[in-house]
Amino acid sequence: MLLLAMISSIIRFKEADTSSRLLCYLLCLSFLTEALAYFAAKRFHNNIPVYTVFSLFELMLTSLYFNYCIDIFYKYRIGVYIGIVGFILGVLNIIFLQSISRINSNFLFFEGIVIIAMAFTLFARLVMKHDTLRIKAYHHFWFAVILTFYWCSNFFNLSLYQQIIFAHKPIALLLNMLNFIVNIITYLSIAIVFLLYPKMQKQDE
């Protein structure tokens, strides 16, 4: 599903706006990360450092995505500042709190809160600025919905996983399956939005 989402974004890259192109970059980086994580798991039996480093760039690219699709963010470069501050906090978390070989749960919690907050800011600005906007045809609305769904699901998974992974392995397996399903839904949804991109733009106009 990640490969499908990445290919779909590449197909629509030329006709996409700046925000959507940044999402394309994020999907390409995600695919590269998964490939490196697979190699690290096979070669070093530990791929956590790969995901730890990826999360820093994930927040930065996502912040830049919202910077270009939220008018007030673009005006004051709020998304840029959020990305820079988030990256610095992530590095500090690795140095002083959670080493690169541990799951960076502190930063993931921060990242999720920030991304959900930016998504809700987008929703609020859409309501405030547009009286006749066709939500069904606005791709950034759907991208924000998808990101909100993904990170809310991650909160649920992350809050439970570390508590039960060793004590209740059957439940941990269930959480893994739920996480797998969430990722499938997320990337499939992104792929669908990109594939419908020209039609959405036409209807929105």
Side-chain angles (χ1 to χ4, degrees):
M1 288 302 101
L2 174 55
L3 179 61
L4 175 62
M6 183 183 71
I7 293 174
S8 301
S9 68
I10 293 173
I11 291 174
R12 302 301 184 200
F13 188 84
K14 287 185 178 180
E15 54 196 308
D17 55 20
T18 302
S19 296
S20 300
R21 290 182 178 183
L22 285 164
L23 197 57
C24 175
Y25 294 143
L26 178 58
L27 291 170
C28 292
L29 179 61
S30 299
F31 186 80
L32 177 62
T33 299
E34 292 298 337
L36 290 175
Y38 179 81
F39 172 78
K42 291 291 185 180
R43 182 69 175 81
F44 306 107
H45 307 289
N46 183 8
N47 58 11
I48 291 178
V50 177
Y51 289 116
T52 299
V53 173
F54 165 72
S55 64
L56 306 182
F57 292 95
E58 179 183 38
L59 178 57
M60 179 171 286
L61 284 174
T62 307
S63 299
L64 289 175
Y65 163 77
F66 282 109
N67 185 75
Y68 286 97
C69 64
I70 301 177
D71 59 325
I72 194 170
F73 274 36
Y74 181 74
K75 183 178 180 179
Y76 297 105
R77 297 185 177 180
I78 295 175
V80 176
Y81 297 137
I82 291 175
I84 293 173
V85 171
F87 191 92
I88 293 172
L89 290 177
V91 172
L92 293 176
N93 181 66
I94 293 173
I95 296 174
F96 296 107
L97 297 177
Q98 296 175 312
S99 68
I100 197 171
S101 60
R102 291 177 55 195
I103 297 176
N104 58 337
S105 55
N106 294 336
F107 182 78
L108 289 176
F109 180 78
F110 169 78
E111 180 183 8
I113 289 290
V114 170
I115 292 175
I116 292 173
M118 289 190 291
F120 275 86
T121 302
L122 173 62
F123 298 148
R125 295 302 296 174
L126 290 178
V127 173
M128 293 172 63
K129 287 196 63 181
H130 302 280
D131 295 327
T132 59
L133 180 67
R134 297 180 181 179
I135 292 296
K136 292 182 180 180
Y138 190 56
H139 51 285
H140 289 309
F141 168 78
W142 289 112
F143 285 142
V145 168
I146 293 167
L147 289 172
T148 301
F149 163 77
Y150 174 79
W151 280 104
C152 286
S153 302
N154 264 1
F155 273 141
F156 172 77
N157 192 7
L158 190 64
S159 62
L160 293 178
Y161 192 80
Q162 294 191 48
Q163 301 297 325
I164 68 175
I165 184 173
F166 297 112
H168 305 282
K169 289 187 178 181
I171 302 179
L173 292 174
L174 177 61
L175 286 178
N176 282 332
M177 182 57 65
L178 288 174
N179 187 51
F180 181 72
I181 293 172
V182 165
N183 278 274
I184 288 178
I185 294 174
T186 298
Y187 291 123
L188 178 59
S189 300
I190 292 175
I192 291 173
V193 174
F194 269 115
L195 291 174
L196 295 177
Y197 194 95
K199 184 179 179 181
M200 285 185 170
Q201 281 189 317
K202 186 176 180 180
Q203 288 179 355
D204 186 40
E205 293 171 357

